[in-house]
Amino acid sequence: MPCGRWDSNLGLLQEQPLMDNWPGYDLDLFTYPQHYYGDLECVLIPHGIIVDRIERLAKDIMKDIGYDDILVLCVLKGGYKFCADLVEHLKSISRNSDRFVSMKVDFIRLKSYKNDQSMGEMQIIGGEDLSIVLCCANMLLLTLSDVVGTGRTMKALLSSIEKYKPNMVKVASLLVKRTARSDGFRPDYAGFEISDVFVVGYALDYNEYFRDLNHICIINEHGKEKYRV
C-alpha cells in the first residue's frame, strides 16, 4: 500500500473501508513522539477519527444488545486503548438511557507475533475467572480485539470460550485486514477495514514499541529493522 501526502479530494470516510490505493496522511501534518522519527511511512488513521469511530461503534452495540448486561473481554495488549475508549462510551450511553446496563471488564492476552510475522500458534494468558462471570444467564460477552487478520486467532479464542457456554458472544475489532489468507471470519462490529499492511500505534505494537503513538501508522522498513528482535 503506497503512502504519500494527503489529498483533500480523497477524504477518509469512517463508514467505508480504506482502499489499497489510500495514500495515508503525511507525517508532517501531525505530532507524534520524536523517538519514532524516521520509523514510519505515514499516518493511516488519525487519532481523532479513531475516537469518533469508536463512539459510533458504542452506539451500535448498545442499540443491538437490548437489556443484556455486558462482560467486556479485552484482548491484550493491543486492545487496551480500544477497550478503554469503547467502555467509556458504553458507560456514557448507559447512564443517559432509561435502563442502566451493568458492565464488567476482564482481560486476556494472546501472543502470536514475533517481529511482523505470525508464529503460527497462539498462547492464551489470563481469563481464568470467565467461568464465574459467564454463569449469569443474561450476560453478553463482548470480546474486543485490536486487529482481525486471517481470523484464525479469534476463532481459536472463541473456541476456548465456548466451553463456558456463554449466553451470547459478540466480537468487536478496531481493525479488519483484507488478506488472501483470511478464513472468512468477520467480527460483529468493526472500526476500519484496511489492506494487509503492518500497522502500529493506538496500543498496537512492533516488539513492544509504538504503543505510545496515538495515531495508527504504517511502520517502514527502517523501523522494522531498528526494533527487530
Side-chain angles (χ1 to χ4, degrees), residues 38-211:
D39 301 329
L40 303 169
E41 287 286 346
C42 65
V43 173
L44 187 65
I45 311 174
H47 180 256
I49 293 178
I50 298 169
V51 174
D52 284 352
R53 179 66 181 131
I54 292 174
E55 182 178 6
R56 176 54 189 265
L57 286 179
K59 291 179 179 178
D60 291 343
I61 292 168
M62 292 296 285
K63 180 180 178 181
D64 291 345
I65 65 171
Y67 292 100
D68 290 318
D69 294 329
I70 306 174
L71 168 63
V72 177
L73 181 61
C74 174
V75 179
L76 297 173
K77 295 180 183 177
Y80 80 84
K81 292 191 75 170
F82 177 39
C83 176
D85 285 345
L86 183 64
V87 167
E88 281 303 309
H89 285 303
L90 291 172
K91 287 164 58 178
S92 176
I93 296 171
S94 175
R95 284 193 298 264
N96 292 285
S97 69
D98 57 357
R99 182 189 182 278
F100 180 77
V101 175
S102 172
M103 267 175 283
K104 300 178 181 179
V105 181
D106 205 341
F107 301 90
I108 194 168
R109 185 179 177 191
L110 307 181
K111 191 172 178 63
S112 61
Y113 269 85
K114 182 176 181 180
N115 296 320
D116 60 344
Q117 299 297 318
S118 173
M119 295 186 293
E121 55 185 42
M122 182 184 68
Q123 298 174 328
I124 302 178
I125 305 168
E128 292 85 358
D129 297 329
L130 289 181
S131 59
I132 299 174
V133 294
L134 286 177
C135 67
C136 302
N138 293 324
M139 180 71 72
L140 161 68
L141 176 61
L142 178 63
T143 304
L144 303 186
S145 173
D146 51 355
V147 183
V148 169
T150 64
R152 289 191 293 269
T153 298
M154 184 54 66
K155 275 191 170 181
L157 174 59
L158 293 177
S159 177
S160 69
I161 288 173
E162 282 301 319
K163 65 183 179 182
Y164 300 114
K165 297 181 172 28
N167 176 57
M168 186 190 335
V169 180
K170 296 289 186 180
V171 177
S173 181
L174 179 61
L175 302 176
V176 176
K177 288 188 177 182
R178 290 187 300 275
T179 172
R181 296 174 289 114
S182 173
D183 62 3
F185 175 82
R186 299 285 298 186
D188 301 284
Y189 307 97
F192 302 91
E193 182 181 288
I194 64 173
S195 58
D196 193 8
V197 292
F198 197 89
V199 291
V200 294
Y202 196 71
L204 282 72
D205 78 305
Y206 178 82
N207 294 329
E208 297 301 326
Y209 292 92
F210 300 99
R211 294 196 195 277

